[in-house]
Amino acid sequence: MSEQPFILHLTERSLWDAARERGAYEMSTRGRTLQEEGFIHCSSREQLPKVGAFLYGSYDGPDELVVLVIDPALLGVPLKYEAPEPGGEEFPHVYGPVPVAAVVDVEPWS
């Protein structure tokens, strides 16, 4: 298993289901792809409630939301911890597609 803590990504179940069929997950954040953003936004367990409220606070879509639990050791692409602004809180950013095999669990989001 990974020596780094797992990182998390909140998404819609249908997007995860489609990624499982393709073998890799390529959505960066709500409504934006990896290709558009340049990386996939992730968070720590502690950051997730704030991120969820920010991105999906008003969500009333037809899909349930799920949390992808990602093992950094299984990514095979760069992972960088970066702050949105200098001196700000650092978030994990995945610079490439997340292989389905790197997702070690999928949790429901309430």
Side-chain angles (χ1 to χ4, degrees), residues 4 7-9 28-29 34 37-44 47 51 70 72 75 77-85 89-98:
Q4 286 184 295
I7 58 174
L8 308 173
H9 179 82
S28 176
T29 188
L34 166 62
E37 198 74 9
F39 57 86
I40 295 174
H41 290 269
C42 292
S43 63
S44 67
Q47 293 167 327
V51 170
I70 302 165
L75 283 173
V77 295
L79 169 65
K80 299 178 184 178
Y81 283 78
E82 300 171 309
E85 67 275 332
E89 184 176 13
E90 292 187 344
F91 290 85
H93 295 156
V94 178
Y95 281 83
V98 173

Side-chain angles (χ1 to χ4, degrees), residues 13-67:
R13 177 162 305 275
S14 63
L15 296 174
W16 169 238
D17 289 344
R20 286 187 11 230
E21 291 179 19
R22 287 191 313 273
Y25 181 82
E26 297 189 29
M27 288 301 294
S28 176
T29 188
R30 185 176 181 187
R32 296 199 39 94
T33 66
L34 166 62
Q35 291 73 25
E36 291 169 324
E37 198 74 9
F39 57 86
I40 295 174
H41 290 269
C42 292
S43 63
S44 67
R45 180 77 57 191
E46 296 75 27
Q47 293 167 327
L48 190 62
K50 181 171 49 175
V51 170
F54 176 72
L55 291 175
Y56 291 97
S58 62
Y59 181 77
D60 63 353
D63 247 355
E64 72 172 319
L65 298 176
V66 295
V67 178

